[in-house]
């Protein structure tokens, strides 16, 4: 009776678990958020990003935005056609770092990128899962019991034949 309840509890816990237990959520600029002033290059270099992590951009909508761009657009701070991979402007944007590689972000409001609102992150592949634990050792006592019973059966048969 308790087994079904435990099974349901385990299933509920698994459903509530995050999509990637090893993923980390980072807030860009930490408590400063996404605004003019912080050194985002220094901010991004203090972390080790892994595929599955997320970046949260918090800012005042209309004053800033977030563009994920190519390396060339990042260098010039002027994304040309085809150099913007994605845009966000809600003020509370979450970006999934879904795959390993280099990601380039900037604010495309005039002068903001040149003023330092840009950074890049190098996203690494997640570490492999740990190997499964070895199987438990087979009990020698269990093997002796089986061998002992077998021997007794053979002896019993042997005595049965002699009588």
């Amino acid at each position: 009776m308790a087994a079904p309840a435990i099974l349901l509890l385990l299933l509920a816990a698994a459903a509530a678990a995050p999509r990637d237990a090893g993923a980390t959520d980072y807030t860009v600029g930490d408590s400063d958020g996404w605004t003019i002033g912080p050194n985002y290059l220094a901010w991004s270099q203090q972390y080790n990003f892994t595929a599955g992590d997320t970046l949260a951009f918090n800012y005042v909508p209309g004053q800033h935005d977030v563009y994920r761009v190519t390396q060339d657009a990042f260098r010039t701070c002027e994304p040309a056609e085809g150099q913007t991979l994605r845009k966000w402007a809600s003020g509370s944007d979450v970006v999934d770092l879904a795959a390993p590689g280099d990601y380039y972000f900037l604010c495309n409001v005039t002068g903001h990128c040149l003023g330092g609102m840009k950074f890049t992150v190098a996203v690494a592949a997640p570490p492999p899962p740990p190997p499964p634990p070895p199987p438990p050792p087979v009990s020698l006592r269990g093997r002796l019991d089986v061998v002992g019973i077998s021997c007794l059966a053979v002896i019993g048969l042997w005595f049965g034949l002699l009588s």
Side-chain angles (χ1 to χ4, degrees), residues 117-155:
M117 283 189 75
K118 68 178 191 172
F119 69 98
T120 182
V121 294
V123 176
V138 176
S139 167
L140 187 55
R141 177 182 166 92
R143 286 183 178 235
L144 290 177
D145 289 345
V146 170
V147 170
I149 291 171
S150 299
C151 287
L152 288 175
V154 169
I155 292 171

Side-chain angles (χ1 to χ4, degrees), residues 12-157:
R19 70 190 185 303
D20 184 354
T24 303
D25 301 322
Y26 296 95
T27 299
V28 176
D30 295 323
S31 61
D32 291 327
W34 184 235
T35 189
I36 295 174
N39 182 337
Y40 293 104
L41 177 61
W43 174 85
S44 67
Q45 290 177 344
Q46 67 183 331
Y47 300 110
N48 294 314
F49 299 97
T50 305
D53 290 348
T54 60
L55 298 177
F57 289 83
N58 299 313
Y59 56 93
V60 177
Q63 291 184 11
H64 303 291
D65 55 27
V66 179
Y67 278 39
R68 180 174 172 214
V69 298
T70 64
Q71 185 178 23
D72 289 337
F74 180 79
R75 287 184 182 144
T76 64
C77 281
E78 295 180 19
E81 189 172 331
Q83 292 183 323
T84 300
L85 304 175
R86 183 112 190 250
K87 301 177 189 179
W88 296 268
S90 75
S92 183
D93 306 314
V94 177
V95 176
D96 291 319
L97 303 174
D102 294 327
Y103 290 69
Y104 301 92
F105 297 98
L106 57 81
C107 179
N108 199 45
V109 173
T110 303
H112 291 194
C113 179
L114 292 172
M117 283 189 75
K118 68 178 191 172
F119 69 98
T120 182
V121 294
V123 176
V138 176
S139 167
L140 187 55
R141 177 182 166 92
R143 286 183 178 235
L144 290 177
D145 289 345
V146 170
V147 170
I149 291 171
S150 299
C151 287
L152 288 175
V154 169
I155 292 171
L157 284 174

